[in-house]
Amino acid sequence: MKFNKSTLALVGLALASSSILSAQGFKRVYSNPVHLGKAINSDKHEESLPILSADGESLYFVRTYTETEGDLTIGDQDVYVSVKENGKFSLASKDLPTINDKHNNAVIGLSKDGNAIYLLNQYAAGRRFSNKGVSMAKKSAEGTWGEAMAMQMPKVNFKGNHYGGFITADEKTIIFTAELEGSTGKEDLYFTQINEDGNWSEIQSLGNMVNSNRADFAPYLSPDGKLLFFSSFGHNSVGSSDIFVSERVGNGWDEWTKPEPLEGINTAGFEAYSNIDKNNNIIFASNNGGKGYADLYSTTMKLEKIEPKPVEPVKSEEEKAIEKLNNEFDLQLIYFDYNKSDVKVEDAIILDAVMAVLVKFPKLKIVLSGHTDERGREEYNYKLSKRRVEAGKDYLVKRGIDKKRIITQALGETDLKIENAKTEAEHVQNRRVEIEILGSN
């Protein structure tokens, strides 16, 4: 956002009702931002500080003049209002004589019933004071705003470039921005609450989880008091200022979850001043990645279920050893010459590797399955396959492996790898002993 001369960096205050919810196992997602169009945004000036009525039918915002226009000079600000017609915001008007004057003007709040409006700085019987503060006007029976009167909030010290505040839906708590002694950054977020006697309590910080080492401003708290939306130049913002959301922990005011940026909304430019209606439609100011002055955009927030990442099972040392053995050797390829049951030297290497694992993990067992090709009589092939698995078993037993840990099965020609083998190479594939290692569980 580009500020000019006396342009005030204002913070929105709203009393709208919203259905914002947070839930464990869900994440907040936002639809693609939509430009609110020429009914709201001008071609050459800047729009910011959107304030929605509770029903979402009226939108107040500030237009900052970037060029001299009539009796308005660069940096002047007026309040505009737009009312929805057939579901769309109508052409905004600044015909608000009790609100707009020659000073910088801003609406910083609407009551829940829409009959009270809160204004930046102090008014009294139609005359503006230069003092920082909050004023309030009531709506007349004719639907126009009456004269504004200053509210007595001596504890609220609007000090800093981004001064302003937010009143919670129950009108008992004010969250505001100020640069005070002890601030974490240039400006921090503070709060005060109204007591039973009508006075405001001593101000307190929202804590270091929310407040960064740079300016934090533009707070908005959901009606349930759980979600805090605010803007910040800190918190590793991707632009000059980003919008963040943080969830309140417990019933206190100084414990919040780590602020989350509004993904898909924040750009390399300026985003700030978010305000939300009852349907979770968010209106915010953005200069679209630094392209000119800020305009108003809308997005819709919803909750999306977080699909849990599959948990990789923790492998035991036995499982790791078996996996390594299978990766290094093909345990189905202990082959034999035709009509032979002698273990070949090259296949003894595989049996030695299996034996090493059996020695290291004494609870493991193995299964040796003997096979033949389909040449010869079936009964003979069965006996031949038995001699082959016994040869493998004897090799291991002679080297210290308990025979009870070795299970053998002779399958003869009943489980051929290659049916109707023709060549010697194909027959070799069928003359084999397969090794399976059984885990201890």
Side-chain angles (χ1 to χ4, degrees):
M1 187 174 187
K2 298 180 179 178
F3 299 116
N4 301 283
K5 279 191 176 180
S6 59
T7 303
L8 298 178
L10 311 175
V11 174
L13 168 137
L15 304 177
S17 173
S18 171
S19 59
I20 298 171
L21 298 174
S22 60
Q24 191 172 11
F26 289 80
K27 64 178 179 179
R28 286 173 282 272
V29 295
Y30 308 90
S31 62
N32 291 330
V34 176
H35 189 265
L36 290 189
K38 292 186 176 182
I40 303 299
N41 297 306
S42 61
D43 291 331
K44 55 186 178 180
H45 303 305
E46 180 170 83
E47 285 71 38
S48 62
L49 267 84
I51 300 294
L52 285 163
S53 59
D55 59 9
E57 294 297 308
S58 297
L59 170 65
Y60 290 82
F61 63 92
V62 170
R63 177 167 292 166
T64 302
Y65 294 91
T66 61
E67 296 180 9
T68 298
E69 188 172 294
D71 59 348
L72 296 166
T73 60
I74 296 174
D76 284 347
Q77 293 174 316
D78 277 337
V79 172
Y80 282 71
V81 62
S82 173
V83 179
K84 279 187 176 179
E85 296 177 357
N86 299 319
K88 294 183 178 181
F89 285 114
S90 62
L91 181 65
S93 169
K94 67 171 184 176
D95 185 18
L96 300 164
T98 61
I99 295 174
N100 289 321
D101 57 22
K102 65 179 181 178
H103 301 282
N104 289 322
N105 308 115
V107 175
I108 54 175
L110 290 169
S111 64
K112 194 171 184 180
D113 61 8
N115 291 323
I117 192 168
Y118 295 85
L119 307 171
L120 185 73
N121 291 327
Q122 295 187 337
Y123 293 67
R127 183 168 62 90
R128 274 282 302 275
F129 293 153
S130 60
N131 297 1
K132 294 179 180 180
V134 178
S135 297
M136 187 265 287
K138 292 286 189 178
K139 185 176 285 186
S140 68
E142 292 76 26
T144 59
W145 294 111
E147 297 293 342
M149 297 296 293
M151 298 178 65
Q152 300 304 311
M153 298 179 177
K155 302 293 185 183
V156 178
N157 185 352
F158 289 119
K159 183 180 180 182
N161 291 328
H162 299 83
Y163 72 91
F166 168 81
I167 296 181
T168 56
D170 59 9
E171 303 182 60
K172 295 180 180 180
T173 304
I174 299 175
I175 303 174
F176 65 98
T177 302
E179 183 180 358
L180 305 177
E181 183 178 352
S183 293
T184 303
K186 186 172 178 59
E187 288 141 323
D188 282 355
L189 294 176
Y190 296 86
F191 77 96
T192 180
Q193 295 179 301
I194 195 167
N195 299 320
E196 292 182 358
D197 59 6
N199 295 318
W200 294 91
S201 66
E202 295 295 327
I203 64 173
Q204 298 180 55
S205 170
L206 287 187
N208 292 339
M209 184 60 75
V210 168
N211 291 316
S212 69
N213 60 358
R214 301 190 67 188
D216 306 292
F217 60 104
Y220 172 88
L221 191 70
S222 61
D224 62 5
K226 295 297 184 183
L227 293 183
L228 174 70
F229 290 80
F230 67 99
S231 303
S232 178
F233 290 89
H235 296 294
N236 297 315
S237 61
V238 297
S240 62
S241 170
D242 285 350
I243 302 173
F244 294 86
V245 60
S246 179
E247 190 165 351
R248 189 175 169 191
V249 179
N251 296 320
W253 289 88
D254 59 350
E255 291 188 50
W256 302 84
T257 60
K258 183 179 179 180
E260 304 171 5
L262 272 60
E263 294 186 3
I265 302 301
N266 295 319
T267 69
F270 178 93
E271 279 74 39
Y273 307 114
S274 54
N275 201 258
I276 308 162
D277 70 11
K278 62 182 179 180
N279 297 316
N280 293 341
N281 298 310
I282 303 173
I283 294 181
F284 64 97
S286 170
N287 67 0
N288 191 23
K291 301 174 183 177
Y293 295 98
D295 283 346
L296 294 183
Y297 293 77
S298 68
T299 181
T300 301
M301 185 191 76
K302 65 179 182 178
L303 294 178
E304 185 176 276
K305 188 175 181 180
I306 300 174
E307 295 297 334
K309 295 181 180 179
V311 179
E312 291 291 335
V314 179
K315 295 179 180 178
S316 66
E317 292 301 315
E318 290 180 358
E319 291 172 321
K320 291 178 182 178
I322 295 172
E323 182 177 336
K324 182 179 178 181
L325 192 62
N326 281 312
N327 289 336
E328 291 182 359
F329 300 100
D330 186 343
L331 299 186
Q332 295 184 356
L333 298 180
I334 298 180
Y335 297 122
F336 294 83
D337 292 332
Y338 176 65
N339 200 28
K340 300 289 184 180
S341 59
D342 301 322
V343 176
K344 295 181 178 181
V345 174
E346 57 266 30
D347 292 329
I349 297 174
I350 299 177
L351 290 173
D352 288 340
V354 171
M355 182 179 65
V357 173
L358 293 175
V359 170
K360 185 174 181 179
F361 301 102
K363 293 184 178 181
L364 293 179
K365 295 182 179 181
I366 63 170
V367 177
L368 300 179
S369 302
H371 304 267
T372 68
D373 59 31
E374 55 190 333
R375 294 179 292 182
R377 291 179 291 108
E378 183 176 347
E379 182 181 355
Y380 178 82
N381 285 339
Y382 169 77
K383 292 179 180 179
L384 179 59
S385 66
K386 185 173 179 62
R387 291 201 304 272
R388 287 174 175 170
V389 294
E390 290 299 328
K393 179 178 180 179
D394 290 343
Y395 184 94
L396 295 172
V397 171
K398 288 178 180 179
R399 287 158 179 78
I401 302 301
D402 189 340
K403 63 181 180 180
K404 294 180 181 179
R405 300 173 63 192
I406 305 172
I407 302 169
T408 60
Q409 55 181 359
L411 300 176
E413 58 185 77
T414 61
D415 186 17
L416 299 172
K417 288 187 71 175
I418 299 178
E419 297 281 353
N420 302 315
K422 303 297 183 184
T423 66
E424 181 60 22
E426 290 175 336
H427 287 303
V428 168
Q429 294 293 314
N430 290 328
R431 299 194 299 264
R432 69 199 188 278
V433 167
E434 298 175 349
I435 304 174
E436 179 184 3
I437 303 179
L438 305 178
S440 58
N441 294 330

